[in-house]
PDB file of all heavy atoms in Angstrom:
ATOM      1  N   ARG A   1      94.414  82.751  99.941  1.00 95.00           N
ATOM      2  CA  ARG A   1      94.526  81.572 100.813  1.00 95.00           C
ATOM      3  C   ARG A   1      95.818  81.546 101.621  1.00 95.00           C
ATOM      4  O   ARG A   1      95.913  80.825 102.602  1.00 95.00           O
ATOM      5  CB  ARG A   1      94.447  80.310  99.980  1.00 95.00           C
ATOM      6  CG  ARG A   1      93.118  80.151  99.316  1.00 95.00           C
ATOM      7  CD  ARG A   1      93.058  78.916  98.502  1.00 95.00           C
ATOM      8  NE  ARG A   1      91.764  78.849  97.834  1.00 95.00           N
ATOM      9  CZ  ARG A   1      91.298  77.792  97.250  1.00 95.00           C
ATOM     10  NH1 ARG A   1      92.002  76.690  97.223  1.00 95.00           N
ATOM     11  NH2 ARG A   1      90.126  77.821  96.665  1.00 95.00           N
ATOM     12  N   ASP A   2      96.806  82.296 101.193  1.00 96.00           N
ATOM     13  CA  ASP A   2      98.134  82.249 101.802  1.00 96.00           C
ATOM     14  C   ASP A   2      98.514  83.647 102.312  1.00 96.00           C
ATOM     15  O   ASP A   2      98.977  84.487 101.550  1.00 96.00           O
ATOM     16  CB  ASP A   2      99.139  81.761 100.753  1.00 96.00           C
ATOM     17  CG  ASP A   2     100.539  81.559 101.284  1.00 96.00           C
ATOM     18  OD1 ASP A   2     100.861  82.074 102.374  1.00 96.00           O
ATOM     19  OD2 ASP A   2     101.320  80.885 100.589  1.00 96.00           O
ATOM     20  N   SER A   3      98.290  83.873 103.606  1.00 94.00           N
ATOM     21  CA  SER A   3      98.547  85.203 104.171  1.00 94.00           C
ATOM     22  C   SER A   3     100.034  85.568 104.139  1.00 94.00           C
ATOM     23  O   SER A   3     100.382  86.738 103.986  1.00 94.00           O
ATOM     24  CB  SER A   3      98.001  85.305 105.595  1.00 94.00           C
ATOM     25  OG  SER A   3      98.616  84.351 106.437  1.00 94.00           O
ATOM     26  N   ALA A   4     100.911  84.590 104.256  1.00 96.00           N
ATOM     27  CA  ALA A   4     102.353  84.874 104.181  1.00 96.00           C
ATOM     28  C   ALA A   4     102.724  85.354 102.775  1.00 96.00           C
ATOM     29  O   ALA A   4     103.522  86.281 102.615  1.00 96.00           O
ATOM     30  CB  ALA A   4     103.161  83.641 104.559  1.00 96.00           C
ATOM     31  N   ALA A   5     102.130  84.740 101.760  1.00 95.00           N
ATOM     32  CA  ALA A   5     102.381  85.163 100.378  1.00 95.00           C
ATOM     33  C   ALA A   5     101.837  86.567 100.150  1.00 95.00           C
ATOM     34  O   ALA A   5     102.475  87.397  99.491  1.00 95.00           O
ATOM     35  CB  ALA A   5     101.758  84.184  99.400  1.00 95.00           C
ATOM     36  N   ARG A   6     100.656  86.849 100.683  1.00 93.00           N
ATOM     37  CA  ARG A   6     100.078  88.191 100.556  1.00 93.00           C
ATOM     38  C   ARG A   6     101.002  89.233 101.176  1.00 93.00           C
ATOM     39  O   ARG A   6     101.239  90.293 100.609  1.00 93.00           O
ATOM     40  CB  ARG A   6      98.692  88.227 101.204  1.00 93.00           C
ATOM     41  CG  ARG A   6      97.989  89.558 101.030  1.00 93.00           C
ATOM     42  CD  ARG A   6      96.543  89.537 101.519  1.00 93.00           C
ATOM     43  NE  ARG A   6      96.406  89.026 102.876  1.00 93.00           N
ATOM     44  CZ  ARG A   6      95.805  87.872 103.191  1.00 93.00           C
ATOM     45  NH1 ARG A   6      95.295  87.109 102.246  1.00 93.00           N
ATOM     46  NH2 ARG A   6      95.720  87.500 104.442  1.00 93.00           N
ATOM     47  N   GLU A   7     101.569  88.911 102.321  1.00 92.00           N
ATOM     48  CA  GLU A   7     102.485  89.839 102.983  1.00 92.00           C
ATOM     49  C   GLU A   7     103.768  90.020 102.170  1.00 92.00           C
ATOM     50  O   GLU A   7     104.279  91.136 102.044  1.00 92.00           O
ATOM     51  CB  GLU A   7     102.802  89.344 104.397  1.00 92.00           C
ATOM     52  CG  GLU A   7     103.613  90.310 105.208  1.00 92.00           C
ATOM     53  CD  GLU A   7     102.938  91.663 105.403  1.00 92.00           C
ATOM     54  OE1 GLU A   7     101.699  91.759 105.395  1.00 92.00           O
ATOM     55  OE2 GLU A   7     103.671  92.661 105.561  1.00 92.00           O
ATOM     56  N   ARG A   8     104.308  88.958 101.588  1.00 92.00           N
ATOM     57  CA  ARG A   8     105.498  89.076 100.732  1.00 92.00           C
ATOM     58  C   ARG A   8     105.205  89.956  99.518  1.00 92.00           C
ATOM     59  O   ARG A   8     106.016  90.788  99.128  1.00 92.00           O
ATOM     60  CB  ARG A   8     105.975  87.703 100.257  1.00 92.00           C
ATOM     61  CG  ARG A   8     106.698  86.893 101.290  1.00 92.00           C
ATOM     62  CD  ARG A   8     107.438  85.703 100.706  1.00 92.00           C
ATOM     63  NE  ARG A   8     106.635  84.858  99.841  1.00 92.00           N
ATOM     64  CZ  ARG A   8     105.844  83.869 100.251  1.00 92.00           C
ATOM     65  NH1 ARG A   8     105.731  83.611 101.551  1.00 92.00           N
ATOM     66  NH2 ARG A   8     105.176  83.141  99.375  1.00 92.00           N
ATOM     67  N   MET A   9     104.027  89.779  98.945  1.00 91.00           N
ATOM     68  CA  MET A   9     103.630  90.587  97.790  1.00 91.00           C
ATOM     69  C   MET A   9     103.566  92.066  98.169  1.00 91.00           C
ATOM     70  O   MET A   9     104.069  92.923  97.451  1.00 91.00           O
ATOM     71  CB  MET A   9     102.269  90.112  97.277  1.00 91.00           C
ATOM     72  CG  MET A   9     101.795  90.837  96.043  1.00 91.00           C
ATOM     73  SD  MET A   9     100.136  90.326  95.529  1.00 91.00           S
ATOM     74  CE  MET A   9      99.142  91.414  96.564  1.00 91.00           C
ATOM     75  N   ARG A  10     102.977  92.352  99.302  1.00 89.00           N
ATOM     76  CA  ARG A  10     102.872  93.747  99.754  1.00 89.00           C
ATOM     77  C   ARG A  10     104.243  94.339 100.073  1.00 89.00           C
ATOM     78  O   ARG A  10     104.520  95.492  99.744  1.00 89.00           O
ATOM     79  CB  ARG A  10     101.962  93.838 100.959  1.00 89.00           C
ATOM     80  CG  ARG A  10     100.518  93.659 100.574  1.00 89.00           C
ATOM     81  CD  ARG A  10      99.606  93.964 101.719  1.00 89.00           C
ATOM     82  NE  ARG A  10      98.232  93.801 101.281  1.00 89.00           N
ATOM     83  CZ  ARG A  10      97.252  93.421 102.061  1.00 89.00           C
ATOM     84  NH1 ARG A  10      97.483  93.169 103.326  1.00 89.00           N
ATOM     85  NH2 ARG A  10      96.034  93.304 101.593  1.00 89.00           N
ATOM     86  N   LYS A  11     105.110  93.560 100.710  1.00 88.00           N
ATOM     87  CA  LYS A  11     106.456  94.043 101.031  1.00 88.00           C
ATOM     88  C   LYS A  11     107.260  94.329  99.772  1.00 88.00           C
ATOM     89  O   LYS A  11     108.135  95.181  99.774  1.00 88.00           O
ATOM     90  CB  LYS A  11     107.192  93.048 101.918  1.00 88.00           C
ATOM     91  CG  LYS A  11     106.741  93.092 103.344  1.00 88.00           C
ATOM     92  CD  LYS A  11     107.560  92.180 104.217  1.00 88.00           C
ATOM     93  CE  LYS A  11     107.087  92.306 105.656  1.00 88.00           C
ATOM     94  NZ  LYS A  11     107.845  91.441 106.553  1.00 88.00           N
ATOM     95  N   ALA A  12     106.949  93.613  98.692  1.00 86.00           N
ATOM     96  CA  ALA A  12     107.629  93.865  97.417  1.00 86.00           C
ATOM     97  C   ALA A  12     107.146  95.172  96.801  1.00 86.00           C
ATOM     98  O   ALA A  12     107.749  95.668  95.846  1.00 86.00           O
ATOM     99  CB  ALA A  12     107.400  92.699  96.460  1.00 86.00           C
ATOM    100  N   GLY A  13     106.056  95.732  97.352  1.00 83.00           N
ATOM    101  CA  GLY A  13     105.559  97.014  96.868  1.00 83.00           C
ATOM    102  C   GLY A  13     104.440  96.903  95.854  1.00 83.00           C
ATOM    103  O   GLY A  13     104.191  97.845  95.104  1.00 83.00           O
ATOM    104  N   ALA A  14     103.734  95.784  95.839  1.00 81.00           N
ATOM    105  CA  ALA A  14     102.728  95.551  94.808  1.00 81.00           C
ATOM    106  C   ALA A  14     101.351  96.124  95.132  1.00 81.00           C
ATOM    107  O   ALA A  14     100.546  96.282  94.250  1.00 81.00           O
ATOM    108  CB  ALA A  14     102.610  94.057  94.530  1.00 81.00           C
ATOM    109  N   GLY A  15     101.051  96.398  96.368  1.00 85.00           N
ATOM    110  CA  GLY A  15      99.740  96.929  96.702  1.00 85.00           C
ATOM    111  C   GLY A  15      98.673  95.862  96.813  1.00 85.00           C
ATOM    112  O   GLY A  15      98.939  94.754  97.256  1.00 85.00           O
ATOM    113  N   ARG A  16      97.453  96.172  96.331  1.00 90.00           N
ATOM    114  CA  ARG A  16      96.302  95.282  96.514  1.00 90.00           C
ATOM    115  C   ARG A  16      95.709  94.806  95.198  1.00 90.00           C
ATOM    116  O   ARG A  16      94.539  94.441  95.144  1.00 90.00           O
ATOM    117  CB  ARG A  16      95.234  96.013  97.323  1.00 90.00           C
ATOM    118  CG  ARG A  16      95.688  96.353  98.729  1.00 90.00           C
ATOM    119  CD  ARG A  16      94.618  97.053  99.520  1.00 90.00           C
ATOM    120  NE  ARG A  16      93.347  96.353  99.394  1.00 90.00           N
ATOM    121  CZ  ARG A  16      92.184  96.964  99.348  1.00 90.00           C
ATOM    122  NH1 ARG A  16      92.097  98.257  99.405  1.00 90.00           N
ATOM    123  NH2 ARG A  16      91.065  96.262  99.247  1.00 90.00           N
ATOM    124  N   THR A  17      96.467  94.814  94.137  1.00 94.00           N
ATOM    125  CA  THR A  17      95.978  94.364  92.840  1.00 94.00           C
ATOM    126  C   THR A  17      96.757  93.141  92.393  1.00 94.00           C
ATOM    127  O   THR A  17      97.977  93.092  92.531  1.00 94.00           O
ATOM    128  CB  THR A  17      96.132  95.485  91.784  1.00 94.00           C
ATOM    129  OG1 THR A  17      95.381  96.628  92.209  1.00 94.00           O
ATOM    130  CG2 THR A  17      95.632  95.042  90.428  1.00 94.00           C
ATOM    131  N   VAL A  18      96.043  92.150  91.873  1.00 97.00           N
ATOM    132  CA  VAL A  18      96.678  90.958  91.300  1.00 97.00           C
ATOM    133  C   VAL A  18      96.244  90.845  89.854  1.00 97.00           C
ATOM    134  O   VAL A  18      95.215  91.405  89.475  1.00 97.00           O
ATOM    135  CB  VAL A  18      96.293  89.674  92.078  1.00 97.00           C
ATOM    136  CG1 VAL A  18      96.854  89.705  93.474  1.00 97.00           C
ATOM    137  CG2 VAL A  18      94.784  89.433  92.106  1.00 97.00           C
ATOM    138  N   PRO A  19      96.983  90.158  89.049  1.00 97.00           N
ATOM    139  CA  PRO A  19      98.187  89.393  89.348  1.00 97.00           C
ATOM    140  C   PRO A  19      99.407  90.296  89.497  1.00 97.00           C
ATOM    141  O   PRO A  19      99.448  91.416  88.992  1.00 97.00           O
ATOM    142  CB  PRO A  19      98.339  88.485  88.128  1.00 97.00           C
ATOM    143  CG  PRO A  19      97.740  89.271  87.009  1.00 97.00           C
ATOM    144  CD  PRO A  19      96.595  90.023  87.626  1.00 97.00           C
ATOM    145  N   VAL A  20     100.402  89.748  90.185  1.00 97.00           N
ATOM    146  CA  VAL A  20     101.680  90.427  90.367  1.00 97.00           C
ATOM    147  C   VAL A  20     102.782  89.451  89.974  1.00 97.00           C
ATOM    148  O   VAL A  20     102.786  88.303  90.411  1.00 97.00           O
ATOM    149  CB  VAL A  20     101.877  90.869  91.832  1.00 97.00           C
ATOM    150  CG1 VAL A  20     103.266  91.440  92.049  1.00 97.00           C
ATOM    151  CG2 VAL A  20     100.804  91.880  92.230  1.00 97.00           C
ATOM    152  N   LEU A  21     103.693  89.929  89.163  1.00 97.00           N
ATOM    153  CA  LEU A  21     104.839  89.136  88.756  1.00 97.00           C
ATOM    154  C   LEU A  21     106.075  89.732  89.415  1.00 97.00           C
ATOM    155  O   LEU A  21     106.333  90.942  89.291  1.00 97.00           O
ATOM    156  CB  LEU A  21     104.983  89.153  87.231  1.00 97.00           C
ATOM    157  CG  LEU A  21     105.924  88.127  86.630  1.00 97.00           C
ATOM    158  CD1 LEU A  21     105.459  86.706  86.928  1.00 97.00           C
ATOM    159  CD2 LEU A  21     106.038  88.339  85.132  1.00 97.00           C
ATOM    160  N   VAL A  22     106.821  88.896  90.134  1.00 95.00           N
ATOM    161  CA  VAL A  22     108.033  89.329  90.827  1.00 95.00           C
ATOM    162  C   VAL A  22     109.194  88.507  90.289  1.00 95.00           C
ATOM    163  O   VAL A  22     109.124  87.276  90.254  1.00 95.00           O
ATOM    164  CB  VAL A  22     107.894  89.131  92.359  1.00 95.00           C
ATOM    165  CG1 VAL A  22     109.179  89.513  93.066  1.00 95.00           C
ATOM    166  CG2 VAL A  22     106.718  89.933  92.895  1.00 95.00           C
ATOM    167  N   GLU A  23     110.230  89.199  89.847  1.00 95.00           N
ATOM    168  CA  GLU A  23     111.414  88.525  89.327  1.00 95.00           C
ATOM    169  C   GLU A  23     112.615  88.924  90.169  1.00 95.00           C
ATOM    170  O   GLU A  23     112.931  90.108  90.273  1.00 95.00           O
ATOM    171  CB  GLU A  23     111.630  88.891  87.863  1.00 95.00           C
ATOM    172  CG  GLU A  23     110.457  88.442  86.987  1.00 95.00           C
ATOM    173  CD  GLU A  23     110.644  88.790  85.531  1.00 95.00           C
ATOM    174  OE1 GLU A  23     111.698  88.424  84.976  1.00 95.00           O
ATOM    175  OE2 GLU A  23     109.743  89.433  84.969  1.00 95.00           O
ATOM    176  N   ASP A  24     113.232  87.933  90.786  1.00 94.00           N
ATOM    177  CA  ASP A  24     114.371  88.158  91.688  1.00 94.00           C
ATOM    178  C   ASP A  24     114.077  89.247  92.712  1.00 94.00           C
ATOM    179  O   ASP A  24     114.893  90.122  92.977  1.00 94.00           O
ATOM    180  CB  ASP A  24     115.632  88.488  90.894  1.00 94.00           C
ATOM    181  CG  ASP A  24     116.205  87.267  90.188  1.00 94.00           C
ATOM    182  OD1 ASP A  24     115.952  86.132  90.653  1.00 94.00           O
ATOM    183  OD2 ASP A  24     116.903  87.444  89.168  1.00 94.00           O
ATOM    184  N   GLY A  25     112.870  89.203  93.294  1.00 90.00           N
ATOM    185  CA  GLY A  25     112.497  90.124  94.355  1.00 90.00           C
ATOM    186  C   GLY A  25     112.017  91.484  93.907  1.00 90.00           C
ATOM    187  O   GLY A  25     111.689  92.336  94.735  1.00 90.00           O
ATOM    188  N   VAL A  26     111.939  91.715  92.597  1.00 93.00           N
ATOM    189  CA  VAL A  26     111.524  93.014  92.068  1.00 93.00           C
ATOM    190  C   VAL A  26     110.202  92.847  91.313  1.00 93.00           C
ATOM    191  O   VAL A  26     110.084  91.982  90.446  1.00 93.00           O
ATOM    192  CB  VAL A  26     112.596  93.591  91.113  1.00 93.00           C
ATOM    193  CG1 VAL A  26     112.140  94.897  90.495  1.00 93.00           C
ATOM    194  CG2 VAL A  26     113.916  93.768  91.848  1.00 93.00           C
ATOM    195  N   VAL A  27     109.232  93.696  91.637  1.00 94.00           N
ATOM    196  CA  VAL A  27     107.950  93.656  90.941  1.00 94.00           C
ATOM    197  C   VAL A  27     108.174  94.131  89.507  1.00 94.00           C
ATOM    198  O   VAL A  27     108.647  95.234  89.277  1.00 94.00           O
ATOM    199  CB  VAL A  27     106.896  94.546  91.638  1.00 94.00           C
ATOM    200  CG1 VAL A  27     105.616  94.603  90.827  1.00 94.00           C
ATOM    201  CG2 VAL A  27     106.625  94.048  93.049  1.00 94.00           C
ATOM    202  N   THR A  28     107.838  93.274  88.547  1.00 95.00           N
ATOM    203  CA  THR A  28     108.012  93.625  87.143  1.00 95.00           C
ATOM    204  C   THR A  28     106.689  93.819  86.416  1.00 95.00           C
ATOM    205  O   THR A  28     106.673  94.356  85.303  1.00 95.00           O
ATOM    206  CB  THR A  28     108.837  92.549  86.402  1.00 95.00           C
ATOM    207  OG1 THR A  28     108.176  91.292  86.526  1.00 95.00           O
ATOM    208  CG2 THR A  28     110.249  92.473  86.956  1.00 95.00           C
ATOM    209  N   ARG A  29     105.601  93.382  87.037  1.00 95.00           N
ATOM    210  CA  ARG A  29     104.297  93.547  86.396  1.00 95.00           C
ATOM    211  C   ARG A  29     103.214  93.490  87.470  1.00 95.00           C
ATOM    212  O   ARG A  29     103.220  92.611  88.319  1.00 95.00           O
ATOM    213  CB  ARG A  29     104.068  92.419  85.388  1.00 95.00           C
ATOM    214  CG  ARG A  29     102.784  92.530  84.608  1.00 95.00           C
ATOM    215  CD  ARG A  29     102.596  91.359  83.645  1.00 95.00           C
ATOM    216  NE  ARG A  29     103.670  91.252  82.687  1.00 95.00           N
ATOM    217  CZ  ARG A  29     103.654  91.785  81.471  1.00 95.00           C
ATOM    218  NH1 ARG A  29     102.620  92.487  81.080  1.00 95.00           N
ATOM    219  NH2 ARG A  29     104.671  91.604  80.648  1.00 95.00           N
ATOM    220  N   VAL A  30     102.280  94.445  87.398  1.00 96.00           N
ATOM    221  CA  VAL A  30     101.086  94.424  88.237  1.00 96.00           C
ATOM    222  C   VAL A  30      99.898  94.478  87.287  1.00 96.00           C
ATOM    223  O   VAL A  30      99.800  95.382  86.463  1.00 96.00           O
ATOM    224  CB  VAL A  30     101.039  95.611  89.221  1.00 96.00           C
ATOM    225  CG1 VAL A  30      99.730  95.609  90.009  1.00 96.00           C
ATOM    226  CG2 VAL A  30     102.234  95.583  90.164  1.00 96.00           C
ATOM    227  N   GLY A  31      99.032  93.492  87.390  1.00 95.00           N
ATOM    228  CA  GLY A  31      97.913  93.393  86.469  1.00 95.00           C
ATOM    229  C   GLY A  31      98.347  92.692  85.191  1.00 95.00           C
ATOM    230  O   GLY A  31      99.493  92.270  85.037  1.00 95.00           O
ATOM    231  N   TRP A  32      97.388  92.577  84.280  1.00 96.00           N
ATOM    232  CA  TRP A  32      97.667  91.936  83.010  1.00 96.00           C
ATOM    233  C   TRP A  32      96.946  92.723  81.929  1.00 96.00           C
ATOM    234  O   TRP A  32      95.727  92.873  81.964  1.00 96.00           O
ATOM    235  CB  TRP A  32      97.205  90.485  83.029  1.00 96.00           C
ATOM    236  CG  TRP A  32      97.346  89.795  81.729  1.00 96.00           C
ATOM    237  CD1 TRP A  32      96.344  89.343  80.918  1.00 96.00           C
ATOM    238  CD2 TRP A  32      98.578  89.490  81.049  1.00 96.00           C
ATOM    239  NE1 TRP A  32      96.867  88.776  79.795  1.00 96.00           N
ATOM    240  CE2 TRP A  32      98.238  88.852  79.841  1.00 96.00           C
ATOM    241  CE3 TRP A  32      99.919  89.700  81.332  1.00 96.00           C
ATOM    242  CZ2 TRP A  32      99.195  88.419  78.920  1.00 96.00           C
ATOM    243  CZ3 TRP A  32     100.870  89.268  80.425  1.00 96.00           C
ATOM    244  CH2 TRP A  32     100.514  88.632  79.240  1.00 96.00           C
ATOM    245  N   GLN A  33      97.720  93.260  81.009  1.00 94.00           N
ATOM    246  CA  GLN A  33      97.197  94.040  79.886  1.00 94.00           C
ATOM    247  C   GLN A  33      96.265  95.152  80.360  1.00 94.00           C
ATOM    248  O   GLN A  33      95.189  95.377  79.820  1.00 94.00           O
ATOM    249  CB  GLN A  33      96.523  93.134  78.866  1.00 94.00           C
ATOM    250  CG  GLN A  33      97.516  92.157  78.254  1.00 94.00           C
ATOM    251  CD  GLN A  33      96.911  91.294  77.175  1.00 94.00           C
ATOM    252  OE1 GLN A  33      95.718  91.123  77.063  1.00 94.00           O
ATOM    253  NE2 GLN A  33      97.801  90.715  76.361  1.00 94.00           N
ATOM    254  N   GLY A  34      96.716  95.842  81.399  1.00 93.00           N
ATOM    255  CA  GLY A  34      95.979  96.997  81.918  1.00 93.00           C
ATOM    256  C   GLY A  34      94.824  96.673  82.840  1.00 93.00           C
ATOM    257  O   GLY A  34      94.099  97.580  83.246  1.00 93.00           O
ATOM    258  N   ARG A  35      94.673  95.413  83.200  1.00 95.00           N
ATOM    259  CA  ARG A  35      93.568  95.021  84.073  1.00 95.00           C
ATOM    260  C   ARG A  35      94.076  94.194  85.237  1.00 95.00           C
ATOM    261  O   ARG A  35      95.098  93.523  85.122  1.00 95.00           O
ATOM    262  CB  ARG A  35      92.541  94.224  83.284  1.00 95.00           C
ATOM    263  CG  ARG A  35      91.901  95.037  82.192  1.00 95.00           C
ATOM    264  CD  ARG A  35      90.764  94.286  81.592  1.00 95.00           C
ATOM    265  NE  ARG A  35      90.021  95.195  80.742  1.00 95.00           N
ATOM    266  CZ  ARG A  35      89.655  94.892  79.510  1.00 95.00           C
ATOM    267  NH1 ARG A  35      89.941  93.726  79.007  1.00 95.00           N
ATOM    268  NH2 ARG A  35      88.970  95.759  78.808  1.00 95.00           N
ATOM    269  N   GLY A  36      93.325  94.213  86.317  1.00 95.00           N
ATOM    270  CA  GLY A  36      93.678  93.414  87.475  1.00 95.00           C
ATOM    271  C   GLY A  36      92.476  93.250  88.379  1.00 95.00           C
ATOM    272  O   GLY A  36      91.403  93.819  88.125  1.00 95.00           O
TER     273      GLY A  36
END
């Protein structure tokens, strides 16, 4: 729903899989327990 958020997620280097957890601008988790 939020294209600006999608772009921020991609710029952080997360790709096209959610969920993505970003801490202080650094991607710390992509997916949850091996799934996304």
